[in-house]
Amino acid sequence: HGADFVCDGDFGSTGKGKLCAWLASRQRYAWTTSSNGSQAGHTAESREGDGSFVMTQQIPIAYALGLVQRGVIGPAAILDLDVLRKEFEKFKVDPTFFSVHPNAAVISEAHKVREAEVTNRIASTMKGNGACLADKVLRHPDLKRAQDVGWLQPYVRDDLGSVRASASGAVSAVPGPVLVEMSQGFNLDL
């Protein structure tokens, strides 16, 4: 079955969302997955036919547009709970068809404050993504994960085994190819 990975080889903002929507409109994917943070977004034309655009920061754009029925936020994601909740409501995300990996990290207010304190030295969106990622990498004991968030519990599960089985062509409840929406670009740096 296989998988298609959409990744930016440069700095970002080069049309990954539009490409994901285009691919998903032409290929019947069983799953779409992302591990984005809220510092950026994927944008694509809505399916309304009115020329409007849809943007997501946390959930895969192909899922938000209804082009792929099953979506997964992976363990490398950095979650802004306010952004995630708004996207879940806006796109009517159903826990039957969508999951968030238990180990996805959650941005705290302290992460945002920490980033605001260093912006005179580094470029930052000040959304807490970098500070949260640093705490995740360093295994900070106070780091919250998706599994620790009450309202997320209907969505929290590890569906990645099913995604891998689907992509490899192994027996899976939902066989078929996978669309992996990656964030940002390879050429970004401090």
Side-chain angles (χ1 to χ4, degrees):
H1 295 281
D4 290 328
F5 291 79
V6 177
C7 180
D8 188 336
D10 203 20
F11 292 102
S13 298
T14 59
K16 290 180 301 296
K18 292 171 185 66
L19 179 57
C20 288
W22 183 83
L23 286 169
S25 71
R26 284 157 177 73
Q27 167 74 39
R28 188 173 173 87
Y29 292 102
W31 298 86
T32 184
T33 182
S34 68
S35 289
N36 300 338
S38 63
Q39 75 281 11
H42 285 174
T43 304
E45 191 169 348
S46 79
R47 297 177 72 200
E48 303 300 318
D50 60 1
S52 64
F53 287 85
V54 171
M55 194 268 285
T56 63
Q57 293 177 286
Q58 301 276 209
I59 67 174
I61 191 77
Y63 180 87
L65 291 170
L67 297 168
V68 181
Q69 186 180 15
R70 293 189 176 273
V72 176
I73 292 177
I78 305 295
L79 304 175
D80 181 314
L81 295 178
D82 292 333
V83 172
L84 186 63
R85 188 188 299 264
K86 286 176 187 167
E87 289 186 6
F88 275 18
E89 290 169 1
K90 180 177 181 176
F91 300 110
K92 297 174 180 51
V93 176
D94 181 345
T96 306
F97 301 106
F98 197 92
S99 67
V100 178
H101 195 279
N103 290 330
V106 175
I107 296 170
S108 69
E109 195 58 38
H111 292 129
K112 294 176 183 180
V113 168
R114 224 163 71 211
E115 283 192 12
E117 291 171 351
V118 298
T119 56
N120 61 342
R121 292 180 290 151
I122 63 168
S124 173
T125 62
M126 293 192 305
K127 293 185 178 182
N129 289 277
C132 184
L133 180 59
D135 282 354
K136 184 174 185 171
V137 169
L138 295 171
R139 312 292 196 268
H140 193 284
D142 295 332
L143 180 70
K144 258 173 103 170
R145 298 175 188 277
Q147 65 191 3
D148 304 320
V149 179
W151 69 267
L152 264 181
Q153 292 315 298
Y155 302 91
V156 174
R157 62 185 176 276
D158 182 357
D159 276 342
L160 293 180
S162 297
V163 173
R164 283 188 294 274
S166 180
S168 70
V171 176
S172 172
V174 186
V178 176
L179 177 59
V180 181
E181 297 182 21
M182 300 174 76
S183 62
Q184 308 237 292
F186 277 152
N187 210 12
L188 285 175
D189 194 4
L190 301 176

